[in-house]
Amino acid sequence: MSERIVDPAAKGWATSWYEASARSRIDGLLDAGSFREVIGPEQRQMSPHLPLFDLPRAFDDGMIVGSGRLEGKAVLVAAQEGRFMGGAFGEVHGAKLVGLLRAALVLKPDAVLILFDTGGVRLQEANAGETAIAEVMRAITQLRAAGVPVIGLIGGRAGAYGGGGLIAATCSRLVVSEGGRISVSGPEVIETNKGAEEFDSRDRALVWRTMGGKHRRLIGGADAVADDTVQAFRQAALDLISRAPPFDLATMEAEQKRLEERLTRFGDCRDATEIWGRLGVNDPDAVPALTTADFDALLASLGETTHDAR
Amino acid sequence: MEKLSFRHTTSRALPGAKAQAITGVVASGNLEVLLERALAPTECTVEIETPIRGYGEVWAAVVADFVARSQPGGLRITINDGGARPDTVSLRLLQGARLMEV
């Protein structure tokens, strides 16, 4: 076998989070060699439902869970493989995440990291998927109440949609890349139900300025924007673990207040650029093209854009 | 789903000591290959689950070519296919064998 002509690592090229598989995201995110998988592919815990539909299964059902270290901190980690069934929540897929979160309640790690990449619930096993979403949200609130930060990382091609968007909203902190998207109903769903005049799902610029990482960060729905590299996500995760908010009545009341204010202030806006303008962004049309560094500088100039109101 | 199963005898065991490796993802035009060092040193089995029916002879040829090239003795190989083309299957199998040699 011939030698590799170009070694990306030797050239210092970064691994794209968007392009990476769930497994390589975990490998690059955690301290080298520290990941220990639970219910690995060799155990063949596959979907019992997909064969009924003559659909192929995956050995890990698109969910990889385990423990590891992040700059020495003990973390539990779950990663969705967005290319398998759109990263959708099926029975086994969801149960693995619920199990990990419940284990975290006992183990009390320094943090739990959820690497979202999902279109929502897997329609072929939707009841089990919906149940899992509810159980995950309950487990996350219990964990946060017990003082364990739950950090969501969003930058895959499937984004965090449907139940994945709901779960993201219950996390302590979220980091998102420009390519990452967070919402509940996806662009095609909105268009199908409300028409292309309401939301044209093929207008990619519209999709990203409505659901994309920068918009979510600007309105306080995410807490950090990272470049699309595994290294940037690692740095952002470390930073967010250290400043996870307390989970108490004061936080909840503040969040409710912020959401009410957001509705009053932006409720009549017809486009995200109008919201950005009202936030004080001088040139809203230039926001999508800003580099992460310039975007962070813009955020700093705007004052209060950091809060938990997702 | 069509289930295929192949058993080959190799001239040697695959070098390396890695017990297990996985490569690829079950997605359109792609597949995942799970390799486990679980058999006698000159045995190799390949089990495939594919939603695309009627390509048994192509699978047999691709697997035979891989076994001849890599001599993956000792490996139990299991594949979940998402409709991958033969060249993709071949590359994934070689990639998997390489991962096990580390």
Side-chain angles (χ1 to χ4, degrees):
Chain A
M1 236 173 255
S2 61
E3 288 304 306
R4 206 166 177 173
I5 295 168
V6 176
D7 183 351
K11 290 265 181 188
W13 293 342
T15 306
S16 161
W17 185 271
Y18 187 87
E19 298 288 343
S21 69
R23 288 182 184 278
S24 41
R25 284 175 192 158
I26 290 179
D27 284 345
L29 183 72
L30 300 181
D31 297 351
S34 70
F35 182 61
R36 297 285 173 273
E37 187 168 358
V38 179
I39 317 177
E42 79 288 349
Q43 297 196 23
R44 296 171 167 76
Q45 289 285 346
M46 295 187 275
S47 165
H49 308 286
L50 293 178
L52 299 172
F53 298 89
D54 215 27
L55 288 166
R57 301 176 289 177
F59 293 118
D60 51 26
D61 206 36
M63 174 66 83
I64 298 140
V65 295
S67 61
R69 301 246 157 215
L70 185 67
E71 207 124 302
K73 291 181 205 294
V75 294
L76 293 186
V77 57
Q80 296 180 294
E81 177 49 68
R83 287 176 297 175
F84 173 65
M85 307 281 309
F89 279 85
E91 184 170 0
V92 175
H93 182 109
K96 284 170 85 171
L97 180 55
V98 173
L100 184 86
L101 295 166
R102 290 185 182 163
L105 263 176
V106 180
L107 297 171
K108 299 274 169 61
D110 295 319
V112 175
L113 309 175
I114 304 177
L115 285 53
F116 290 95
D117 198 349
T118 182
V121 161
R122 192 182 296 168
L123 297 180
Q124 292 84 355
E125 34 194 306
N127 290 349
E130 297 284 6
T131 306
I133 302 281
E135 289 175 349
V136 166
M137 291 194 291
R138 171 176 285 264
I140 288 176
T141 51
Q142 286 173 330
L143 260 181
R144 290 182 59 187
V148 178
V150 181
I151 311 295
L153 294 78
I154 299 164
R157 68 185 63 214
Y161 277 101
L166 300 180
I167 294 171
T170 61
C171 289
S172 317
R173 292 285 184 215
L174 295 177
V175 52
V176 61
S177 67
E178 164 134 45
R181 296 170 294 165
I182 310 168
S183 196
V184 180
S185 297
E188 285 86 359
V189 178
I190 300 173
E191 184 182 315
T192 304
N193 286 293
K194 295 282 185 182
E197 295 80 13
E198 173 73 17
F199 201 84
D200 182 354
S201 67
R202 286 171 302 175
D203 184 344
R204 294 172 71 80
L206 170 69
V207 170
W208 259 266
R209 72 177 180 267
T210 311
M211 302 165 169
K214 280 178 176 163
H215 176 61
R216 292 297 178 217
R217 178 67 190 87
L218 274 166
I219 62 170
D223 310 283
V225 169
D227 276 323
D228 177 42
T229 66
V230 175
Q231 193 55 34
F233 270 91
R234 179 181 155 95
Q235 280 311 319
L238 272 168
D239 173 45
L240 292 180
I241 290 172
S242 67
R243 51 188 184 92
F247 189 66
D248 53 18
L249 186 60
T251 302
M252 291 296 103
E253 283 178 343
E255 195 164 329
Q256 176 68 21
K257 187 160 158 276
R258 288 178 189 123
L259 286 167
E260 283 169 7
E261 282 171 7
R262 191 156 87 184
L263 195 58
T264 313
R265 201 169 162 201
F266 308 122
D268 61 330
C269 290
R270 299 297 301 160
D271 194 288
T273 48
E274 284 179 47
I275 297 178
W276 304 343
R278 285 188 199 176
L279 278 169
V281 178
N282 281 331
D283 186 1
D285 293 329
V287 168
L290 292 179
T291 63
T292 305
D294 289 343
F295 183 72
D296 281 341
L298 170 70
L299 286 171
S301 74
L302 293 179
E304 183 56 33
T305 53
T306 298
H307 52 68
D308 308 315
R310 315 242 187 263
Chain B
M1 298 299 279
E2 185 164 323
K3 290 184 185 184
L4 301 163
S5 186
F6 301 101
R7 177 174 288 272
H8 285 270
T9 304
T10 62
S11 60
R12 60 162 172 83
L14 187 83
K18 196 153 185 214
Q20 172 193 328
I22 186 165
T23 180
V25 171
V26 184
S28 180
N30 205 337
L31 74 164
E32 69 176 350
V33 178
L34 176 64
L35 307 97
E36 296 159 288
R37 219 177 273 274
L39 302 176
T42 57
E43 266 183 65
C44 174
T45 62
V46 181
E47 292 159 61
I48 299 146
E49 255 189 52
T50 174
I52 316 290
R53 291 166 211 277
Y55 284 82
E57 284 177 30
V58 179
W59 281 103
V62 170
V63 169
D65 175 66
F66 161 70
V67 171
R69 279 211 246 178
S70 291
Q71 295 297 321
L75 296 195
R76 175 192 179 194
I77 298 173
T78 323
I79 292 175
N80 283 323
D81 176 45
R85 300 190 330 181
D87 50 354
T88 308
V89 176
S90 200
L91 283 168
R92 283 269 178 257
L93 283 167
L94 290 168
Q95 195 181 22
R98 190 70 186 262
L99 288 170
M100 292 294 284
E101 283 175 5
V102 175

